[in-house]
Amino acid sequence: MNHALRPLPYLVAIACGLSAQAHAEEPAMPEVIVKDRKLDAGSYDITESTTATKINVPLRDVPQTVNVVPAVVLHDQNAQSLQDALQNVPGLSFSVGDGQRDQVTIRGFSAISDQFVDGVRDDALYFRDLSNIERVEVLKGPASVLYGRGSAGGLVNRVTKKPLADPLREAGVTFGSHGQRRGEFDVGAASGDKDALFRLTGAVEDSTGFRDRYFLRRQALAPSGTFKLGSRTTLTLQADYLHDKRLADQGVPSYHGRPVDVPVETYFGAANGTERAFVQSDVKSATATLDHVFTPDLKLHTILRAYHYALDRNYTSIGAIKDGANPTVAIGQSHRLRAENGRYLQNELSQQLDWGTMNHQLLYGLELGRQNKAEVLRSRNNVATYSLFHPVLVDLPVLPDTVVPSADNKNRVDIAGLYVQDLVALTSTWKILAGVRYDHLKQDRDDRTAKNLDLHRVDDTWSPRLGAVYQPTSTVALYASWNRSFQPIADSFSFRANSDTLKPTQTVNKEAGVKLDLSARSSLTAALFDMTQTNIQVADPANTNFSLPVGRQRTRGLEVSFNGELAPGWEAIAGYANMRGTIEDSTERTTAGTPFEGNTAALTPRHTFNAWIKHRLNDRFWVAAGGRAESSRYASPDDLTTLPGYGVLQLGAGYEGRKVDVTVTVKNLANRTYFVSAHSGANDYNMPGESRAVLVNARYRF
């Protein structure tokens, strides 16, 4: 971590130099006031975002779909996890994430590595905390033009809380009927002249849940400070610490094409899960952000971020199921260790200029990064056998270190990306967004198992984007766009003997839509899209130790989303997506001997729907109702296990006082049995949705 932060003093020195330059130049620039952009705190409608373009522009100017879940929605719903937040986004479905991480499938494509924080890659495999999150933004479709590798179906960007000019002192507690116990705090202060702003957020949690033997112990802490180094320059320093230990729970196995029919609390693992079936993540990060205004039309934005991630995962796996009068299931045991560190430096220069009658908003970017990742995995099968319908758990012993690792490798990834983007207003009604990025990505992998599948490869790729927006009135925007992303073997978990010779997968998205400002406080977006991914690796039928880059997957669909005011006193966030995801080409066959070609992509429901409607009764009280529904999905691309469709209802109510706020949420009001997630690559890890639960949150301002 210390090594990763060595460039930090240089960044501060640059900032001071720019500050001195700003003071020396004449005429002096107007004073820059450091403050948070204050949207209406009660509005569900967010009109501007930086996720899609890296510059703050109205969403109606962006020829791509962006879904925003603001802080007020997270608070009103008592959101406890990133998955809770993403329940408000159509066109995605949830993966169980091996019981160790946040993971979603967006528009039919896995987003396992497409997590970002304040626009910087955050692809370590862990569960994020929301105590330091201001809002969650989901960019749909490829985004390699600004973010580099990945982002086939889209990406998830968490926007963190920043220091404010106004004092802030708030503490809160949450209690739930399934044993949730959580405390949070958020405090901030400023110097007398407002040249130095400070904020500290944190959370402590010790919870149980609706699943047998479930536990969650978590501590989070995030200090930050913003310093005005001159009339033109600010420096923001942030740190983040997270310790998360919980039961390594991957749900229930599949039986005859459906998740096994057992009570939702049934856990297939170890009786001593606290010691032998847990996942523990420790994540630390530090970020320095420099902003300098050369002129009102020329600005510098530089981010340096370093992180360290450690995983200790002891878990059980589902083995063979033996059918009969009393079906049984075999249990395996594994121990996985991961250690990871990395650093990223992003330098972005934004410029506005007029050329003739056209206005250009230009972005020039340079990103440099390095990631070091190491992994060791030991496993053994058949450590226990349980009744499939009435499992009686047993204590498991420590997995000996003498077990030969099935995975033991070290990886280094070096990233260098150069990008340019132009949002040009051709006329008062026509805008063009064009951009391109060049990436030089190098990977070295040292495989220390007997297979010795070492890898060295270099990928040089171009990622373009082109979009047009037609705005016949101030409230209507019609758009069309085309963009392309890439995903190299660097982020794959499956390596074969020729992996270092194959081209990256490539995803092309074509999208057309309309964005409407229905009022000053509400907006609607509708989009048609067609996404195709090629160069997907599949096993060579003639030699399964080798891969062929012949796989192709396609998703076509329609999305509609609404945010904002329905009528005075009524707020809503809602969405609907209709998707058809298909594996169009593959040489591989399933365990049942059927071809993958022609199958529906994993975790790609034909229909998803979400809604949350809030009605304010008066200045103090409000009530709300909503829910989420998904049609049936396949747990994996072999289409052998189906998760039935579901719909759940959620209620909420709140009181907002001068010092105290209280929010009550009832989840799964009808106590429906349903499955919220599956593995996406296997059939025997299907997670039931939470049974009926009541959450109460109280916040006190002092």
Side-chain angles (χ1 to χ4, degrees), residues 314-329:
N314 296 263
Y315 63 101
T316 57
S317 55
I318 302 296
I321 294 176
K322 185 177 180 181
D323 216 339
N326 181 22
T328 60
V329 57

Side-chain angles (χ1 to χ4, degrees), residues 87-301:
Q87 297 279 348
N88 298 286
V89 179
L92 59 77
S93 195
F94 301 98
S95 168
V96 74
D98 289 335
Q100 75 166 78
R101 60 182 177 267
D102 296 309
Q103 186 177 340
V104 294
T105 294
I106 304 176
R107 289 184 174 178
F109 297 92
S110 173
I112 184 174
S113 300
D114 297 316
Q115 293 281 347
F116 290 78
V117 56
D118 291 330
V120 181
R121 184 174 295 274
D122 178 43
D123 59 6
L125 305 178
Y126 68 100
F127 290 106
R128 280 82 180 162
D129 192 78
L130 297 181
S131 59
N132 192 42
I133 300 305
E134 185 66 32
R135 64 184 181 273
V136 178
E137 303 186 353
V138 180
L139 174 62
K140 302 289 184 61
S144 289
V145 66
L146 294 179
Y147 293 95
R149 71 191 195 274
S151 61
L155 61 84
V156 178
N157 183 38
R158 306 180 329 278
V159 179
T160 59
K161 296 176 179 178
K162 308 295 193 305
L164 304 173
D166 297 327
L168 177 67
R169 295 184 296 274
E170 183 176 282
V173 293
T174 301
F175 296 99
S177 56
H178 289 144
Q180 293 92 340
R181 296 180 300 175
R182 177 180 170 93
E184 291 188 15
F185 63 88
D186 188 352
V187 295
S191 62
D193 55 7
K194 308 294 185 182
D195 283 351
L197 313 177
F198 303 95
R199 192 167 186 175
L200 179 66
T201 67
V204 177
E205 185 166 356
D206 187 355
S207 296
T208 57
F210 74 102
R211 299 276 291 163
D212 284 344
R213 290 175 172 76
Y214 182 79
F215 69 93
L216 169 59
R217 298 166 189 161
R218 166 179 281 191
Q219 301 91 45
L221 191 66
S224 58
T226 296
F227 306 95
K228 185 176 169 185
L229 304 181
S231 61
R232 302 183 182 190
T233 309
T234 61
L235 178 68
T236 297
L237 302 178
Q238 297 171 276
D240 189 275
Y241 167 76
L242 175 66
H243 171 81
D244 185 296
K245 183 177 181 180
R246 64 180 71 199
L247 184 71
D249 184 8
Q250 300 188 71
V252 305
S254 171
Y255 183 64
H256 292 178
R258 292 288 193 276
V260 63
D261 186 13
V262 293
V264 295
E265 66 270 14
T266 305
Y267 163 62
F268 292 82
N272 54 341
T274 306
E275 296 81 25
R276 299 289 178 265
F278 68 86
V279 53
Q280 177 175 299
S281 300
D282 290 280
V283 188
K284 306 169 188 175
S285 71
T287 306
T289 304
L290 173 71
D291 288 287
H292 179 71
V293 179
F294 292 102
T295 71
D297 295 329
L298 186 63
K299 302 175 183 178
L300 174 69
H301 180 68

Side-chain angles (χ1 to χ4, degrees), residues 481-512:
S481 64
W482 178 94
N483 49 7
R484 188 177 71 201
S485 70
F486 76 101
Q487 181 69 57
I489 192 66
D491 293 312
S492 173
F493 293 96
S494 299
F495 292 87
R496 295 190 177 99
N498 63 331
S499 289
D500 58 349
T501 66
L502 301 179
K503 294 181 179 180
T505 62
Q506 192 173 91
T507 306
V508 172
N509 180 57
K510 293 172 282 187
E511 181 171 322

Side-chain angles (χ1 to χ4, degrees), residues 39-56:
L39 300 171
D40 186 340
S43 176
Y44 284 13
D45 187 32
I46 300 297
T47 60
E48 295 184 350
S49 169
T50 61
T51 296
T53 60
K54 291 291 192 81
I55 54 177
N56 202 35

Side-chain angles (χ1 to χ4, degrees), residues 436-454:
V436 65
R437 172 167 170 148
Y438 167 75
D439 275 285
H440 177 79
L441 189 147
K442 183 172 68 173
Q443 183 196 15
D444 289 284
R445 179 176 189 264
D446 179 16
D447 185 357
R448 296 176 291 185
T449 67
K451 292 182 179 180
N452 196 31
L453 289 178
D454 291 345

Side-chain angles (χ1 to χ4, degrees), residues 518-541:
L518 301 178
S519 71
R521 291 170 55 92
S522 63
S523 58
L524 182 143
T525 298
L528 292 168
F529 61 89
D530 186 337
M531 301 178 58
T532 302
Q533 186 175 81
T534 56
N535 294 339
I536 300 173
Q537 290 193 45
V538 297
D540 185 345

